[in-house]
Amino acid sequence: MTKRVAILISGGGSNMVALAQSMREDHPAKPVLVLSNNPNAGGLSKARALHIPTMAIDHKPYGQDRAGFEDALQQVLETAQPDIICLAGFMRILTPDFMVKWEGRILNIHPSLLPKYKGLHTHARALEAGDAEHGCTVHEVTAALDDGPILGQAHMPVLADDTPDTLATRLLPLEHALYPAVLRRFAAGDRTPVTLQG
Ligand code: GAR
């Protein structure tokens, strides 16, 4: 049966668009919801243009009340009944209480070659370290930040004149190739890691 996919975003949603556009024809999954913690996320209008139902739950009124915010997320997700959740530039950390309910069914894309550079500023950190290559990772989400089994990585060389911005710009098309490739396998029950070279 076709797997139902919810995509969680916070910003422009270019990875969401790549995922949604990949789920066509004989694909084992279909997008059923795009959910954002940011009501102004540019990705929401892109999702509507793709005829995907959208929802925004602003995290700000919840302040420190992470449980309250996650309860609201949970309610929306339970209504949408996804089989798979794809975090695609979703910039809120989810607590173990939330994860327990979805473990094994949540994927994330992270702009580094994990286990290197968990967290933020990954491009600057790769440059500061003098890395010869950089890349992105799709992994299963577990209770630990940017951890969990790796399902795919895309690698690219770091060039002598790269800046954090040029790295981010060159990496994004690789993210858009990697995430759909992993999702297609994952939705078909195949967790063999995908490797791409840019
Ligand atoms: C992407 O580069 C993604 O890897 C990164 O946010 C960007 C979202 O762009 N995710 C993280 O940093 C997660 N820790 P998009 O909204 O255009 O897909």
Side-chain angles (χ1 to χ4, degrees), residues 5-26:
V5 177
I7 306 173
L8 271 55
I9 64 168
S10 298
S14 69
N15 277 287
M16 176 278 296
V17 170
L19 289 170
Q21 288 181 335
S22 75
M23 286 184 262
R24 291 195 172 148
E25 291 156 17
D26 66 341

Side-chain angles (χ1 to χ4, degrees), residues 23-48:
M23 286 184 262
R24 291 195 172 148
E25 291 156 17
D26 66 341
H27 200 284
K30 64 178 179 186
V32 296
L33 174 70
V34 170
L35 175 57
S36 179
N37 65 302
N38 169 12
N40 300 316
L44 288 170
S45 55
K46 293 177 194 164
R48 286 192 285 271

Side-chain angles (χ1 to χ4, degrees), residues 98-177:
F98 179 90
M99 290 310 313
V100 159
K101 296 175 186 123
W102 297 100
E103 196 152 352
R105 294 183 283 165
I106 306 198
L107 309 182
N108 180 44
I109 186 151
H110 184 73
S112 78
L113 292 171
L114 290 174
K116 284 186 166 184
Y117 317 131
K118 298 174 182 181
L120 300 175
H121 311 301
T122 57
H123 312 304
R125 288 157 70 197
L127 285 175
E128 276 160 25
D131 289 355
E133 69 163 7
H134 188 45
C136 55
T137 302
V138 176
H139 63 99
E140 258 184 67
V141 180
T142 58
L145 176 67
D146 297 332
D147 211 338
I150 288 176
L151 297 171
Q153 290 191 310
H155 303 249
M156 66 179 200
V158 175
L159 307 178
D161 55 355
D162 265 324
T163 65
D165 283 349
T166 63
L167 281 182
T169 302
R170 285 216 319 288
L171 188 57
L172 207 51
L174 285 178
E175 295 189 33
H176 299 164

Side-chain angles (χ1 to χ4, degrees), residues 54 73-74 126 148 150 157 163 187:
T54 61
L73 283 184
Q74 190 67 25
I150 288 176
T163 65

